[in-house]
Amino acid sequence: MAACRTPRLYLAPMMNRTTTFFRSLVRILSPSPSTVLYTQMFAANAIIRMKEMDETSEGGSGGSSLLSSVLSSHIQFEPRQHPVVVQLGGSDAEQMAAAAKLCERYGYTDGVNINCGCPSPKVAGKGRVGAALMLDPAKVKDVVEAVRESISGEVSVKCRIGVDDADSYAHLAHFIETVSSSGCVGRFDVHARKAWLNGLSPSQNRAIPPLKYEVVGQYVQPILMRVDGSVPPLLFSFPLLLLSTAYTFTCTPPCTPTPTHTCIHTVAHICTCISEHNAPPSYLPPLLHFAVLHVCACYLLSSQHGWTGQLARDFPSLSFSINGGIDSHEKARQLVEAYRIDGVMVGRDFWKRPAYWRATASSGSPADTRTLAHIIEEYAAEAHRILLSSPRIPTSVAVMAVANVWGGVVHGTVWNSKRFKAALEEGRRRVGREEAAVLAEAQRRKEKRGLLTAEEEAEVQDRVREGRAEGVRQIVLDALDRVPIEVQQVRMCDLPSLDLRGRREGK
């Protein structure tokens, strides 16, 4: 790998989930920079269009007031969220570069991620971006180069392991090689499933295509059990076990084969045939089968090679993270230990259990003695600040970002977190009614007196903005009052946290 740093935990980009509010909550829960936050995907053409709207509304002044602009309300975030990566969607290189430059101006200096993995019909179908871009790696290369020239931060790509029938390792390796050939991208976030652009919905694409973690990393686990739980055929796993055991006793220390690039793929193909077809490839003479099994056993037990010709081995200058199906600390640690990867990316389970997915703080840091009640109060204050500066953000976005904060929390009492969610929804409706009353009053004044003056319009907007901000703060605090005291007082240091530090030593 290009940089052997501590493996990281990445919050996966999710539409309508990884908003600035949810990212703020995650950063409050996990201040460690080893947790990297991703925004939801922003369409490059939408960013350009909002910028043009701002310039038009301000008489072509170029958008001098960031806080009052349409674009700011869409992409703004709190500085404490760093490191945070903005994900962009699009296929026009010039447009993507312009959008990336605007995002960097608004504070996204940690990096830009190019979406080449979304299978949504609106994105990959009609828009021909997202996962559909994997079918045109030359275009992705042009986009990456243009974006890299326009910003100072890192450029990364999020992709799948294949699309439709273009799902062989050769297709994936060609995509990675083409996109990275100019040296403008250093990391790929790989969802370890293929994408079906026709016939499966986005949610089905997250569940039906099988996970193939070994395609991303260099496999180093024992041959009788893989990370995904599958087992090689018994007919060959038993001889392999015997051979590998004998090899272990006869070699002190066990040697590590170092075949050439061609031999790597040859042995990888043999392993694949054994695993998938229960037999070595037909081009091997029968008398060589036993010897080949011995070689394959040594190869599989080596920490340098794996079942197939994998990305992390074939592209040692690049970094890779694995996404898809990661739903526990143990699985995350297992993947980092088993593969030479930069980290793991968690999405839906992060949304469902944000407190569970806290990353361990840096070595030597004091224990986090904050209670969950303090976390909620801190979030309420931050949501208040965000809404004061962004009057266009709906109340529901701010409220529901905190709805799952109790997910995965271990405590000594039986408590149903649905009460907390119900209190949030009740408060949201109340604030909505109050906001509607303010707007209705303004409408009656318009009908009675005609158009309102600019000062009166500004007064109405201020009342709506301040009422919304204060309303959300109060909603969250009122919902907290519904939570039993013993649950509120659970300390962060008493909850499990994900520790990926030092997982690559000796790998």
Side-chain angles (χ1 to χ4, degrees):
M1 244 185 239
C4 189
R5 61 189 180 191
T6 300
R8 293 184 173 186
L9 172 64
Y10 297 93
L11 170 63
M14 296 175 284
M15 289 302 294
N16 302 321
R17 293 289 187 269
T18 48
T19 62
T20 186
F21 294 97
F22 185 66
R23 299 196 307 270
S24 290
L25 174 65
V26 171
R27 184 57 74 210
I28 292 170
L29 286 164
S30 186
S32 170
S34 63
T35 299
V36 181
L37 312 180
Y38 275 50
T39 71
Q40 60 184 327
M41 186 196 78
F42 297 135
N45 57 359
I47 289 178
I48 302 301
R49 191 162 56 247
M50 284 185 282
K51 178 61 177 173
E52 292 171 351
M53 290 171 58
D54 289 339
E55 292 175 344
T56 301
S57 64
E58 295 176 17
S61 63
S64 59
S65 179
L66 293 179
L67 294 180
S68 63
S69 73
V70 176
L71 179 58
S72 176
S73 295
H74 190 64
I75 68 173
Q76 68 119 25
F77 69 101
E78 292 292 295
R80 70 177 294 177
Q81 289 181 20
H82 288 291
V84 57
V85 176
V86 59
Q87 187 184 67
L88 297 178
S91 59
D92 183 279
E94 184 178 347
Q95 200 172 63
M96 288 284 282
K101 192 171 184 177
L102 278 172
C103 288
E104 188 173 62
R105 179 191 170 197
Y106 278 79
Y108 290 100
T109 56
D110 297 313
V112 172
N113 182 262
I114 310 301
N115 185 331
C116 294
C118 179
S120 167
K122 292 182 179 178
V123 177
K126 182 180 178 181
R128 300 303 297 168
V129 295
L133 284 174
M134 290 194 69
L135 300 173
D136 193 352
K139 179 177 286 188
V140 180
K141 178 187 176 183
D142 292 340
V143 168
V144 165
E145 291 175 348
V147 170
R148 186 66 188 87
E149 289 177 3
S150 68
I151 64 171
S152 58
E154 178 187 61
V155 178
S156 59
V157 173
K158 189 172 189 297
C159 64
R160 294 269 182 148
I161 60 172
V163 177
D164 294 337
D165 294 327
D167 60 351
S168 68
Y169 181 75
H171 280 101
L172 178 59
H174 174 65
F175 174 81
I176 299 294
E177 183 176 15
T178 302
V179 174
S180 63
S181 60
S182 62
C184 293
V185 58
R187 194 183 78 255
F188 288 82
D189 304 306
V190 185
H191 189 144
R193 287 187 176 96
K194 66 180 290 184
W196 282 107
L197 301 186
N198 296 306
L200 294 183
S201 68
S203 59
Q204 290 172 324
N205 264 301
R206 292 193 297 269
I208 294 178
L211 286 163
K212 296 183 179 180
Y213 295 129
E214 67 272 15
V215 172
V216 185
Q218 296 183 24
Y219 192 59
V220 298
Q221 275 200 263
I223 59 176
L224 290 182
M225 182 62 71
R226 287 179 274 192
V227 174
D228 61 5
S230 62
V231 181
L234 182 60
L235 176 63
F236 286 95
S237 62
F238 185 67
L240 282 171
L241 180 61
L242 292 178
L243 287 169
S244 61
T245 302
Y247 182 76
T248 301
F249 280 99
T250 56
C251 297
T252 308
C255 64
T256 299
T258 56
T260 63
H261 187 77
T262 301
C263 291
I264 286 175
H265 286 283
T266 301
V267 178
H269 181 248
I270 294 170
C271 294
T272 302
C273 289
I274 292 172
S275 176
E276 296 180 356
H277 306 299
N278 213 35
S282 59
Y283 56 76
L284 288 175
L287 292 178
L288 292 180
H289 286 183
F290 192 80
V292 166
L293 289 177
H294 189 170
V295 173
C296 291
C298 301
Y299 180 81
L300 291 170
L301 289 173
S302 166
S303 65
Q304 301 299 315
H305 307 293
W307 277 97
T308 54
Q310 310 301 343
L311 296 178
R313 182 193 63 234
D314 292 347
F315 301 94
S317 63
L318 300 176
S319 296
F320 295 91
S321 71
I322 289 180
N323 174 227
I326 302 172
D327 55 9
S328 69
H329 291 173
E330 180 58 31
K331 193 168 188 178
R333 284 191 290 263
Q334 195 177 29
L335 286 168
V336 170
E337 288 171 350
Y339 301 107
R340 295 178 62 84
I341 55 174
D342 182 57
V344 292
M345 178 174 278
V346 183
R348 303 290 156 176
D349 207 66
F350 216 137
W351 169 258
K352 295 175 183 176
R353 302 187 294 172
Y356 175 82
W357 284 104
R358 292 186 311 112
T360 298
S362 58
S363 180
S365 299
D368 188 352
T369 58
R370 295 176 300 167
T371 65
L372 281 165
H374 289 151
I375 298 294
I376 301 299
E377 290 168 356
E378 190 172 347
Y379 171 79
E382 187 143 322
H384 181 273
R385 289 195 299 272
I386 295 172
L387 285 168
L388 281 179
S389 62
S390 302
R392 297 178 176 88
I393 299 179
T395 305
S396 58
V397 176
V399 171
M400 299 319 295
V402 76
N404 295 321
V405 69
W406 307 104
V409 172
V410 179
H411 49 78
T413 183
V414 177
W415 176 69
N416 191 342
S417 62
K418 289 183 179 179
R419 298 177 186 175
F420 181 74
K421 294 182 181 180
L424 291 176
E425 179 59 25
E426 178 186 321
R428 187 186 68 78
R429 289 196 297 266
R430 185 188 69 246
V431 170
R433 289 193 296 269
E434 294 171 354
E435 184 175 307
V438 172
L439 295 175
E441 178 188 349
Q443 184 62 32
R444 286 194 296 271
R445 290 166 63 184
K446 283 185 178 180
E447 293 173 354
K448 184 177 181 180
R449 297 170 43 199
L451 293 176
L452 301 180
T453 64
E455 291 77 9
E456 289 173 325
E457 287 281 8
E459 179 186 352
V460 171
Q461 293 300 321
D462 287 344
R463 286 181 60 187
V464 170
R465 182 177 67 251
E466 292 170 3
R468 183 179 297 170
E470 180 57 32
V472 165
R473 189 183 73 84
Q474 200 57 50
I475 288 171
V476 175
L477 295 179
D478 288 347
L480 180 62
D481 289 339
R482 306 275 188 96
V483 180
I485 294 297
E486 59 269 30
V487 180
Q488 293 186 34
Q489 296 308 310
V490 172
R491 299 185 306 170
M492 301 305 295
C493 57
D494 295 330
L495 298 176
S497 60
L498 179 61
D499 187 0
L500 297 177
R501 294 173 299 177
R503 293 290 169 179
R504 283 212 219 96
E505 276 124 19
K507 293 290 187 290

